[in-house]
Amino acid sequence: MPPILNTLAAWSWRVIVIGALIYLVAMIIARLSFVALPVAIAFLLTALLFPLTNRLRAAGLRPIYATWITMLVAFAFIGGVGFIIGVRANEEFPGLVAQIQQTARDAQNWLITGPFHLKEAQIADFVEELTRQLDQQRGQITSTVLSGATAIIEVLASIVLLLFITFFLLKDGDRIWSWFLRAFGGAAPRVDRAGRAAWRTLSHYVLGTVAVAAVHGLIIGVVLAGMRVPLWAPLAVLVFLASFIPIVGIFFAGAIATLVVFGAQGWVYALVFVGILIVEQQLENHVLQPLIVGRALEFHPLAIILVLAVGGVLGGIAGAAVAVPVAAVIYRALPELRKDEPPALPPAPGTPPETPPPPGAGEAVPETPSR
């Protein structure tokens, strides 16, 4: 068989296996979303927080203390950011409403005096029809809100489960992994190599994505603040969070930010903001992503879109957020599972043969449980 056919056959086999595994993981997440999604997100949070825990443990702290300090630092950071955003939103929201009302009046005047030459009666009929449609959908909106109360309870339960999983992964992750490897017997070295490669990929992906999202949110926040747009801080945080969903997230957050800019400052500022957003997105795609995250993924944009589509269909927004790291982990772990161990090097000439250790000499001393 020609070399090109061998290469195509090898790649087609990899694509089929990776696709089947991604589909299997997505189906598990879809069927057991109450458990699978918190576990997947907990792994992402653990990869993000573990460097701090590892530094604290290296400084001499016991695992329990290092884990608690890491969790408290994370809670303090999230709480501080949420408090600042809440205060800013409470102060700026009335001004945003007034600016949107002024923009609506300007748009109405433009529709009347501009090239469309609409009449006030036509605009009034359109507003009345829109109000009537909203009134007709009021019952459906009310039922949606009531069903959303049940969803909120499920979300809170998932958050509690997520925190418990993250805590124990930070505290006992190495011991959990050692216990997990015992089930594979002679295949444990292969599984260990695959797991370590997957963890390196996940850590690099999470840390790189956080760095890129922080740069993205910072630039958009500075631009919105420079344009004197109300709620610029919450919008910057929205852009930061949306950056964790590749390709799709930035379109969603960018559309909301553009609408706010249009309502607050008019269409000229909105067009300028869209231009800045496009330039910044190109900078992210061609500079930041390849340099920071690209080494962990090496995925074609088409592969990312397909993975996002599968994750979004089966798991919603959360499924789309975890689909790409799951695919990256599988892609990196498979070669390590298939790779054979390197052969042992022969002893150097003149080296005396090793004598077998006495019975019990190589047994590990039982560890005391860390608290």
Side-chain angles (χ1 to χ4, degrees):
M1 183 179 294
I4 184 64
L5 294 181
N6 289 329
T7 303
L8 291 176
W11 274 104
S12 62
W13 181 86
R14 291 183 181 181
V15 170
I16 292 173
V17 173
I18 293 174
L21 289 175
I22 293 174
Y23 178 77
L24 179 61
V25 172
M27 287 297 296
I28 293 174
I29 293 176
R31 294 288 183 179
L32 303 174
S33 58
F34 183 79
V35 177
L37 282 178
V39 170
I41 298 175
F43 272 99
L44 297 178
L45 288 178
T46 303
L48 176 63
L49 298 176
F50 183 73
L52 176 59
T53 306
N54 195 31
R55 286 178 178 270
L56 293 174
R57 293 174 66 172
L61 289 179
R62 297 175 61 181
I64 183 66
Y65 300 143
T67 304
W68 272 116
I69 292 175
T70 302
M71 298 291 288
L72 291 176
V73 168
F75 282 134
F77 178 78
I78 295 174
V81 173
F83 177 77
I84 294 174
I85 290 175
V87 171
R88 296 284 302 181
N90 188 43
E91 294 176 353
E92 297 177 353
F93 189 76
L96 176 62
V97 173
Q99 289 179 334
I100 291 177
Q101 291 175 348
Q102 181 61 39
T103 302
R105 287 192 293 267
D106 295 340
Q108 181 178 355
N109 293 332
W110 181 80
L111 291 174
I112 295 174
T113 61
F116 294 100
H117 297 290
L118 297 179
K119 297 180 180 180
E120 293 185 6
Q122 293 175 317
I123 299 176
D125 292 340
F126 173 76
V127 174
E128 183 180 355
E129 177 65 20
L130 181 61
T131 304
R132 187 176 64 83
Q133 293 291 336
L134 291 177
D135 289 337
Q136 291 179 354
Q137 299 296 326
R138 184 178 301 174
Q140 182 178 357
I141 293 173
T142 303
S143 63
T144 302
V145 171
L146 292 177
S147 63
T150 305
I152 290 176
I153 296 176
E154 294 179 355
V155 169
L156 292 177
S158 298
I159 291 176
V160 173
L161 179 61
L162 164 68
L163 294 177
F164 270 103
I165 296 172
T166 303
F167 178 85
F168 285 108
L169 286 178
L170 289 173
K171 176 179 174 290
D172 298 324
D174 50 351
R175 298 172 61 190
I176 294 173
W177 180 246
S178 299
W179 171 84
F180 177 76
L181 289 177
R182 295 175 188 171
F184 294 92
R190 290 177 181 267
V191 177
D192 185 52
R193 291 199 310 268
R196 294 182 184 277
W199 179 252
R200 288 193 299 268
T201 301
L202 184 64
S203 301
H204 187 83
Y205 171 81
V206 171
L207 296 176
T209 302
V210 169
V212 172
V215 173
H216 200 30
L218 179 63
I219 293 176
I220 297 302
V222 171
V223 171
L224 293 174
M227 292 182 174
R228 299 191 301 275
V229 176
L231 302 180
W232 62 267
L235 290 174
V237 174
L238 177 63
V239 171
F240 169 78
L241 296 176
S243 299
F244 287 91
I245 305 178
I247 301 174
V248 178
I250 189 58
F251 283 104
F252 172 76
I256 294 179
T258 303
L259 289 176
V260 174
V261 174
F262 174 75
Q265 300 293 353
W267 65 272
V268 176
Y269 279 86
L271 289 178
V272 173
F273 176 76
V274 170
I276 295 175
L277 187 65
I278 292 174
V279 172
E280 197 275 334
Q281 184 65 21
Q282 293 300 315
L283 176 65
E284 176 187 341
N285 291 338
H286 295 91
V287 178
L288 296 179
Q289 286 282 357
L291 289 178
I292 300 178
V293 186
R295 289 179 296 173
L297 296 183
E298 295 183 1
F299 278 2
H300 192 275
L302 178 59
I304 294 179
I305 292 175
L306 293 177
V307 169
L308 286 173
V310 174
V313 169
L314 297 178
I317 297 176
V322 302
V324 175
V326 167
V329 164
I330 294 174
Y331 181 76
R332 292 297 183 185
L334 278 180
E336 297 297 332
L337 285 175
R338 299 175 58 243
K339 186 188 300 183
D340 295 328
E341 295 186 12
L345 296 177
T351 303
E354 296 183 358
T355 57
E363 296 181 358
V365 179
E367 298 181 358
T368 57
S370 57
R371 300 182 180 179

